Amino acid sequence: MSLRRLAIAAFSLSAGVSSVRAEPVQKASLTVPSNYTGNLDTIKQIFNTTYAAYLQYAFPRDELLPLTKNGTDDLFGWSATIADGLDTMWILGYTDLFEQGVDQIAKTNFNVSAGEQVGGLPGDQAYLFDATIRYIAGFLSAYELSGQKYPVLVEKAKEIADNMAYAWVDGNKMPYNTVYLGNHSVQVDSTNVAQVGTLTLEWGLLSNYTNNATYRHLVEESVLYLASLPDPLNGIPAQALWPNGTFIGDYVTWSGGTDSYLEYLIKYARLTNTDDNTYADTWATAVDSSIDKLLKRSTVDNWLYLADYTNKTILHVGSHLGCFYGGNWILGGKMLNNDTIYNYGLELTDACFNTYYGTATGIGPETFAYISSDGNYTGSNITAQEVAFYNEHGYYVTDPGYYQRPEVLESNFYAWRATGDTKYLDNAVEALNAFQKYLPSTVGWACLNNVTDVHGTQYNEQEAYFFAEVLKYLYLTFDDPSNISIDEYVFNTECHPFKAPAAKSQYGSGKLNAPSQQPFETTSGPIPEVSSSHN
């Protein structure tokens, strides 16, 4: 049976059958063996070292530049490291640091930005995507985790959202990404699917805490409209588009630029228990199309990857950013009671962690490629050195940087919580050891320019999301699994956990979306950057 037919068969089991129930995601009565729990203190020590360096050399700026011992305001000058790290402080038990962070947030003016002037444009811009996944999400998660004792966190999240709501203009159902705070104008430019589709968790939750449904309506309308458009693969839109719904090119990927839109489809269904099946059904359709077109196995060691796709051509490429998909398929597979998707999620997770085990430093690269039975096309020629690396490891490195990405650790965390297999704890230990060896810098921890070189140079940035994601995913991997259970919380794309209601009995209709009857059409235009500040 083909991969696609296997997936459709699995979906059809639940179609229209009310007795089929969503399964718990986390393994029942899971405990962490005592020989692993010492890693919790190690992670706390790392947090203390790196956050203290930020406070000493960069506070209150956004991020620490550890090699030069100063700070940068590349995320609007709103103290991004504090915003991203706040809920991690609470989870680690650092109440004093948490309250200091809340005090700083309370006196931050989110009506102005430290954005640089670009050409003739004003220098007070903020980006909807980052403002949402880092700041609004970080504040609301910290508000929930701390027992709703700090209402200023909701007030500040609202202040940000009220400014960023001006991104919806000209009758467009989808927003632009750049808003100039001084006059609430927008930068008229193309955007990408992730930027318009990664807002529902945060803005929907804000509606709950402000009793203002406008926030939810804005972001739901964006996603529902996006999901209704013709697409190059059923359920997966092209990466770049204009806010009026016109696509630029036909590039399909689970990586940056599309990634968190797909991620949020199934997560929004879970966080809200919405009766609108569009979210879960569109996610299921995207997965089915991916199984049909994008799922590829390496000819060496049979690793499972998700390819990119453009011009009806497979690109045999992968990325650290895209490696969230293993955990996402584990979560969604359980929610849809679909063992096929769930098991593929585990295999995708294993392949992504193999990219760590193959490098000299034991840390995975920014991007990689592979060879499958249908070829090795990536758009670039493969060298003899890359072939040799591939023959040994089942992948080869195309961008050797490590920018403190969390996605491989994220999927590994889901795999551990779902299976209880201690190999995932061993993976986390190996990554933690490698980080301790290669990331410490002049002060704090830095990124790496080349994970294939144990003597390589460092990249001068300590990412804000290092505190939100890398340290939190590692800590929760070794922590008591009843703490932030994945059956009780939904994580946003920046690893900020939101409390979820008890699960519904079934998510989605059990049926795949029919392909659009309208032709998929594209126009010309600039392709937007996938992300800012390496996120």
Side-chain angles (χ1 to χ4, degrees):
M1 181 179 288
S2 71
L3 296 179
R4 177 176 171 80
R5 288 175 60 83
L6 182 61
I8 291 176
F11 278 122
S12 66
L13 292 177
S14 63
V17 182
S18 59
S19 61
V20 176
R21 300 181 64 85
E23 295 183 350
V25 184
Q26 189 160 298
K27 184 177 181 180
S29 304
L30 184 64
T31 59
V32 177
S34 58
N35 56 309
Y36 293 98
T37 56
N39 291 293
L40 294 172
D41 287 336
T42 299
I43 296 164
K44 285 185 174 182
Q45 292 167 9
I46 294 168
F47 183 96
N48 289 336
T49 298
T50 51
Y51 192 69
Y54 164 76
L55 290 177
Q56 181 175 354
Y57 295 102
F59 174 85
R61 304 188 74 182
D62 285 330
E63 293 177 325
L64 170 69
L65 302 178
L67 296 177
T68 51
K69 298 194 294 187
N70 59 334
T72 180
D73 282 329
D74 54 349
L75 289 161
F76 330 135
W78 295 345
S79 303
T81 291
I82 295 175
D84 260 345
L86 206 59
D87 52 1
T88 305
M89 298 173 203
W90 188 268
I91 290 170
L92 269 57
Y94 292 143
T95 306
D96 290 347
L97 289 177
F98 179 91
E99 291 183 342
Q100 291 173 17
V102 172
D103 288 342
Q104 176 59 29
I105 290 164
K107 62 188 180 186
T108 298
N109 183 1
F110 294 99
N111 297 303
V112 298
S113 167
E116 296 181 1
Q117 185 171 356
V118 180
L121 299 173
D124 59 352
Q125 70 269 28
Y127 306 127
L128 174 62
F129 177 77
D130 288 290
T132 297
I133 68 168
R134 297 170 183 270
Y135 293 100
I136 295 175
F139 298 166
L140 295 181
S141 178
Y143 176 69
E144 289 190 337
L145 290 174
S146 58
Q148 302 184 13
K149 296 177 182 178
Y150 302 89
V152 69
L153 295 170
V154 175
E155 294 169 13
K156 291 299 185 177
K158 180 182 183 300
E159 185 176 309
I160 295 170
D162 287 345
N163 280 313
M164 302 313 298
Y166 288 91
W168 282 264
V169 298
D170 298 333
N172 294 329
K173 293 184 178 180
M174 294 183 291
Y176 289 99
N177 193 49
T178 301
V179 175
Y180 295 100
L181 302 181
N183 61 7
H184 291 137
S185 64
V186 299
Q187 181 176 333
V188 177
D189 202 354
S190 59
T191 185
N192 64 48
V193 167
Q195 288 171 346
V196 303
T198 312
L199 312 168
T200 49
L201 299 183
E202 299 85 355
W203 287 57
L205 194 60
L206 184 62
S207 279
N208 293 347
Y209 287 123
T210 60
N211 294 314
N212 184 346
T214 300
Y215 304 113
R216 180 184 299 109
H217 290 161
L218 279 172
V219 297
E220 283 189 344
E221 184 177 53
S222 294
V223 170
L224 294 175
Y225 179 62
L226 179 57
S228 75
L229 295 173
D231 37 38
L233 286 184
N234 195 20
I236 311 180
Q239 182 186 62
L241 73 164
W242 295 97
N244 66 3
T246 304
F247 287 100
I248 304 168
D250 67 347
Y251 199 91
V252 169
T253 182
W254 277 77
S255 188
T258 304
D259 47 5
S260 44
Y261 160 71
L262 298 170
E263 174 189 355
Y264 272 32
L265 287 172
I266 196 67
K267 287 185 173 182
Y268 192 62
R270 177 64 188 89
L271 183 63
T272 63
N273 283 344
T274 176
D275 292 328
D276 188 338
N277 289 327
T278 303
Y279 303 94
D281 287 354
T282 302
W283 183 86
T285 303
V287 170
D288 181 72
S289 294
S290 300
I291 292 171
D292 181 33
K293 292 289 188 183
L294 307 182
L295 210 59
K296 301 295 175 181
R297 291 191 181 276
S298 63
T299 56
V300 171
D301 294 335
N302 207 38
W303 297 111
L304 191 66
Y305 302 109
L306 280 179
D308 289 359
Y309 179 84
T310 187
N311 296 324
K312 298 183 179 181
T313 301
I314 290 293
L315 297 173
H316 301 80
V317 297
S319 71
H320 210 303
L321 271 172
C323 278
F324 84 95
Y325 48 49
N328 193 242
W329 285 33
I330 290 168
L331 172 67
K334 285 292 188 181
M335 285 177 56
L336 300 182
N337 195 16
N338 188 299
D339 287 343
T340 300
I341 298 173
Y342 170 76
N343 288 324
Y344 283 151
L346 294 174
E347 284 198 81
L348 290 167
T349 298
D350 291 342
C352 281
F353 222 102
N354 180 59
T355 66
Y356 274 56
Y357 284 120
T359 68
T361 60
I363 300 173
E366 177 74 352
T367 61
F368 56 90
Y370 50 89
I371 300 170
S372 65
S373 60
D374 63 339
N376 65 357
Y377 180 74
T378 66
S380 300
N381 293 329
I382 182 172
T383 67
Q385 184 178 10
E386 289 170 338
V387 170
F389 190 100
Y390 170 79
N391 286 335
E392 184 174 356
H393 301 292
Y395 75 98
Y396 61 94
V397 176
T398 52
D399 180 344
Y402 176 66
Y403 304 112
Q404 298 179 346
R405 298 288 191 199
E407 289 79 13
V408 173
L409 303 174
E410 172 184 353
S411 289
N412 189 73
F413 162 73
Y414 278 93
W416 155 246
R417 287 286 185 92
T419 68
D421 189 334
T422 57
K423 78 176 184 180
Y424 299 109
L425 297 179
D426 293 333
N427 286 346
V429 170
E430 291 296 322
L432 183 58
N433 290 340
F435 292 161
Q436 289 179 282
K437 187 172 184 180
Y438 294 105
L439 300 189
S441 190
T442 307
V443 296
W445 281 23
C447 303
L448 301 179
N449 286 314
N450 190 347
V451 297
T452 68
D453 183 359
V454 296
H455 303 295
T457 57
Q458 293 185 328
Y459 180 87
N460 188 25
E461 191 158 9
Q462 180 176 278
E463 301 283 357
Y465 58 72
F466 173 76
F467 296 93
E469 301 185 78
V470 172
L471 292 181
K472 192 185 295 134
Y473 278 127
L474 281 172
Y475 189 85
L476 291 177
T477 298
F478 298 115
D479 197 15
D480 181 349
S482 65
N483 187 24
I484 319 294
S485 165
I486 53 177
D487 287 315
E488 298 175 359
Y489 286 84
V490 172
F491 292 85
N492 96 317
T493 195
E494 195 89 350
C495 193
H496 296 304
F498 301 138
K499 192 74 172 75
K504 290 172 59 176
S505 62
Q506 183 172 333
Y507 289 92
S509 69
K511 300 177 182 178
L512 302 176
N513 294 343
S516 174
Q517 297 303 304
Q518 300 298 318
F520 174 73
E521 298 178 348
T522 67
T523 187
S524 61
I527 302 298
E529 291 185 9
V530 164
S531 60
S532 61
S533 192
H534 292 122
N535 192 302

